Amino acid sequence: MRKEKIDRKILRLTELGVLLAIIIIMAFTPVGYIKAGVVEITIITVPVIIGAMVVEPAAGALLGFAFGMTSFVQCFGMSAFGSAMLEINAFYAFLVTVPTRTLMGWLTGLFYKAINRHDAVGFAATGLVGSLLNTVFFMTALLACFWQTDYIQNFAATFGTTNVFAFVAAFVGINGVVEAVCCTILATVISKALYKWFES
């Protein structure tokens, strides 16, 4: 029994290490951000969601933190939008990128634990929730920290609106919908396969 526990712990740590490596690879290659015309789909949330389900909520938080840190690192010249945030206020840029993703990973894990469904429905519901939480937390932090700045106001003017809700709809737009669908499908398929493999 003790050996079984140790083996299971080693397996969980291995899973976590692999998912962390995947996040880093995705963050600094085109794999993490799929561009289709004007649409940019962020799928780095997928390994975070998978870890939150297959390992535990704490793993989701750690993976979310890793995702957030890679996003923050990209503010240093690798992302035009991130660089603009960093130039305006580095602390706010950190708040928008890191705590939001950490909280997303943790709450996604808690949601999965609460619904207690280890099937396609449970995986799909958690995948959707994780993707939506990522968008909601990011946008909320962005607006709270940067809405009054000239940079974001110029964006709003480009969209032809001064209304915060209209801005969110325009800023997220079709990207958010496509992203949610992609993350839900990928998280469901991969988590289902991993769960079956780990339980076999």
Side-chain angles (χ1 to χ4, degrees), residues 57-145:
L62 179 61
L63 293 166
F65 175 79
F67 170 29
M69 284 304 297
T70 62
S71 296
F72 184 60
V73 167
Q74 289 188 359
C75 293
F76 293 84
M78 286 175 268
S79 162
F81 187 79
S83 296
M85 287 196 300
L86 189 74
E87 190 176 333
I88 295 167
N89 189 308
F91 179 66
Y92 284 172
F94 177 84
L95 288 182
V96 171
T97 53
V98 181
T100 52
R101 273 61 187 265
T102 305
L103 189 58
M104 177 273 290
W106 181 57
L107 291 180
T108 299
L110 289 180
F111 173 82
Y112 178 70
K113 199 172 180 181
I115 62 172
N116 197 29
R117 289 194 62 157
H118 313 297
D119 56 12
V121 174
F123 298 138
T126 308
L128 179 60
V129 165
S131 178
L132 292 176
L133 285 176
N134 181 59
T135 301
V136 169
F137 289 156
F138 177 82
M139 288 305 299
T140 301
L142 178 69
L143 294 173
C145 295

Side-chain angles (χ1 to χ4, degrees), residues 16-91:
L16 190 57
V18 170
L19 289 167
L20 277 168
I22 289 170
I23 286 171
I24 293 167
I25 291 166
M26 291 177 77
F28 299 107
T29 63
V31 177
Y33 301 92
I34 299 173
K35 291 186 178 180
V38 294
V39 178
E40 183 174 280
I41 307 159
T42 305
I43 60 168
I44 306 181
T45 49
V46 173
V48 178
I49 294 166
I50 290 169
M53 289 192 282
V54 177
V55 186
E56 60 183 7
L62 179 61
L63 293 166
F65 175 79
F67 170 29
M69 284 304 297
T70 62
S71 296
F72 184 60
V73 167
Q74 289 188 359
C75 293
F76 293 84
M78 286 175 268
S79 162
F81 187 79
S83 296
M85 287 196 300
L86 189 74
E87 190 176 333
I88 295 167
N89 189 308
F91 179 66

